[in-house]
Amino acid sequence: MNVRISPCKLQGTITAPPSKSMAHRMLICAGLAAGQTCTISGISNSDDVSATLTCLSALGACYQKMGDTVSITGTDIRTIQHNATLNCHESGSTLRFFIPLCLMNSGNTQFTLTGTQKLLSRPLSVYENICRDQKITYKHGESELTVSGKLTSGEYKIPGNISSQFISGLLFALPLCDKDSIINILPPIESRSYLDLTIEALSAFGVNITWQDERTLYIRGNQNYQAPRTAYVEGDYSNAAFFAALKLFGNEIQIEGLDENSHQGDKAYIRYFEQLKKGVPTIHIGDCPDLGPILMAVAAAKNGAVFTGTRRLKIKESDRGNAMANELAKFGVSVKVYEDSIVVYPIAFHAPTDPLNGYNDHRIVMALSTLLTLTGGEIIGAEAVKKSLPEYFDLLKSLGTEVITYETD
């Protein structure tokens, strides 16, 4: 699907979409509460969340979805006696969260996790090393990963400058082990806010994780997930940032449904947008790499910026730093991408000279769309928004954006 957006003034109020990060976590916790049923509201129709539900079903959890509400009855993954295939589609969170859960079975059960070739090419060495050290079967192909064996409790040392999803995955699984465990996170620690979101979700389902100090997590063994009857997913700061950027561009937009006390790391866009509005700041995004595309877009339309801690943008759904550099060049913006930093120079910001490429990356498409409300233009491959926010263009239309969708041969 391609889209054509016309420049326009926008106004209106939107409710922040539900947090995809919290939806993953709460659904997994509910799915691990054996024999208990929890009804969770605020579940989106995004491809990533659907992948998590599909994987829970493959492990024996049962769910029904009506609108934005999911009623889910949990399973005891330690007692699964049949081989299972879990289709993670393109969801990195799903893949990394479920690998340790597939290592909770003490029998000879084999679990195969599938997904796109792009997904399976993303780094998984943390789990590979753990499986090698514990003599767990681990076979990694181009489009599938097969594991079989039992994860043991103990002390784990995990680098802190990689995706926090590896640590969160262990936090879901280790409480189900017989004995206590410790995770030592080797500094520097990035994306700690996502670990706090995981701990918050676990706590809501009766599982206790504690920080012993700023880089040590203590996980008590022999815990059981306890599902509340109802739960809800809070509004998402990650996706709200795209609409907040429209407001920053002078549109009269209000965003409702965000929790001011949220632990979401992408809440940082509030202060970063202020910095981008006032000058040419240096902003470290190691704790919130998903904000990278929209921060680069805002910098291009405003005064420029230097972004540090950008190394991990290379291993997202696309190489986001270079993808944005290529597309911003069509707006007359020069971008220099280095190993762990990016510099945006808004030399002569203007309407794009050619159609923009979405790189099959939802955040690239949404970031570029915000700029097109200023200049007008086209995006090829705009269907990528289905990964996290399928209704994105409908929300833009509700604010007064002229969006024309079309297909090409």
Side-chain angles (χ1 to χ4, degrees):
M1 178 185 81
N2 301 342
V3 300
R4 184 179 296 114
I5 296 175
S6 299
C8 51
K9 277 292 184 181
L10 309 178
Q11 63 178 1
T13 300
I14 67 161
T15 299
S19 167
K20 181 165 69 80
S21 296
M22 283 304 288
H24 282 303
R25 288 161 170 79
M26 295 180 75
L27 288 171
I28 290 172
C29 289
L32 296 175
Q36 303 171 52
T37 300
C38 180
T39 299
I40 306 175
S41 59
I43 301 297
S44 73
N45 290 317
S46 71
D47 287 349
D48 281 7
V49 171
S50 295
T52 286
L53 283 168
T54 298
C55 289
L56 285 170
S57 180
L59 292 179
C62 299
Y63 74 89
Q64 291 184 324
K65 190 173 191 300
M66 295 185 63
D68 71 344
T69 298
V70 171
S71 180
I72 182 166
T73 302
T75 185
D76 187 346
I77 59 173
R78 294 167 292 190
T79 63
I80 297 174
Q81 297 182 4
H82 60 275
N83 295 345
T85 298
L86 288 71
N87 189 346
C88 302
H89 297 280
E90 294 186 339
S91 176
S93 298
T94 304
L95 177 65
R96 290 172 175 161
F97 290 165
F98 275 85
I99 291 174
L101 294 176
C102 290
L103 301 176
M104 287 288 98
N105 194 282
S106 58
N108 295 320
T109 307
Q110 180 174 285
F111 298 92
T112 300
L113 299 103
T114 64
T116 63
Q117 188 171 339
K118 173 66 176 177
L119 174 65
L120 270 296
S121 70
R122 294 171 71 174
L124 293 171
S125 59
V126 170
Y127 293 147
E128 182 178 7
N129 293 337
I130 289 172
C131 288
R132 184 189 63 244
D133 293 344
Q134 297 190 17
K135 296 181 172 53
I136 294 171
T137 298
Y138 182 98
K139 298 177 181 178
H140 191 177
E142 288 188 356
S143 58
E144 66 178 34
L145 168 67
T146 300
V147 295
S148 179
K150 181 72 163 63
L151 190 71
T152 59
S153 55
E155 185 171 351
Y156 290 80
K157 292 184 178 180
I158 308 295
N161 61 350
I162 58 171
S163 173
S164 63
Q165 292 168 356
F166 293 108
I167 301 171
S168 287
L170 291 170
L171 292 179
F172 288 123
L174 290 175
L176 298 174
C177 290
D178 294 338
K179 298 180 181 179
D180 300 349
S181 297
I182 288 176
I183 298 177
N184 288 313
I185 307 174
L186 306 178
I189 300 177
E190 296 183 352
S191 300
R192 170 166 170 163
S193 61
Y194 286 97
L195 297 179
D196 290 332
L197 287 180
T198 303
I199 293 169
E200 179 182 334
L202 287 164
S203 177
F205 285 80
V207 175
N208 185 40
I209 308 289
T210 57
W211 288 97
Q212 288 190 325
D213 55 44
E214 63 182 11
R215 62 183 185 89
T216 305
L217 287 160
Y218 172 73
I219 305 100
R220 181 167 52 82
N222 271 324
Q223 297 193 64
N224 293 302
Y225 285 79
Q226 302 292 328
R229 292 182 61 185
T230 59
Y232 74 96
V233 177
E234 64 181 79
D236 185 29
Y237 277 93
S238 300
N239 281 328
F242 298 102
F243 298 98
L246 296 173
K247 183 176 181 178
L248 191 69
F249 293 161
N251 297 293
E252 297 179 6
I253 295 173
Q254 299 299 319
I255 305 171
E256 297 179 342
L258 293 172
D259 182 356
E260 293 181 357
N261 299 313
S262 173
H263 291 127
Q264 293 180 52
D266 288 353
K267 182 180 176 181
Y269 81 74
I270 297 172
R271 66 176 186 274
Y272 292 158
F273 280 6
E274 284 299 311
Q275 294 173 26
L276 289 166
K277 182 171 65 174
K278 294 177 180 178
V280 187
T282 296
I283 297 174
H284 181 76
I285 63 171
D287 289 330
C288 51
D290 284 345
L291 290 180
I294 188 58
L295 290 173
M296 292 177 67
V298 171
K302 291 295 182 180
N303 307 300
V306 177
F307 300 105
T308 61
T310 61
R311 172 180 48 81
R312 283 167 50 207
L313 295 186
K314 298 181 181 69
I315 55 173
K316 294 291 186 177
E317 285 81 349
S318 67
D319 179 347
R320 286 177 172 167
N322 281 306
M324 286 298 294
N326 292 339
E327 301 316 299
L328 290 176
K330 298 174 184 177
F331 290 88
V333 176
S334 176
V335 179
K336 299 297 183 183
V337 180
Y338 302 100
E339 180 63 27
D340 198 34
S341 63
I342 295 173
V343 184
V344 179
Y345 305 92
I347 297 173
F349 185 75
H350 56 68
T353 54
D354 295 298
L356 304 174
N357 188 335
Y359 293 85
N360 195 34
D361 189 325
H362 54 135
R363 299 195 190 279
I364 298 294
V365 172
M366 290 189 280
L368 295 175
S369 296
T370 64
L371 293 179
L372 293 187
T373 64
L374 296 173
T375 65
E378 301 177 38
I379 303 177
I380 298 170
E383 70 276 2
V385 298
K386 293 189 297 182
K387 181 176 176 64
S388 64
L389 191 57
E391 64 272 27
Y392 174 70
F393 290 111
D394 289 334
L395 290 171
L396 278 186
K397 290 178 183 178
S398 74
L399 296 171
T401 311
E402 183 180 331
V403 179
I404 300 174
T405 63
Y406 62 100
E407 304 289 341
T408 58
D409 295 332

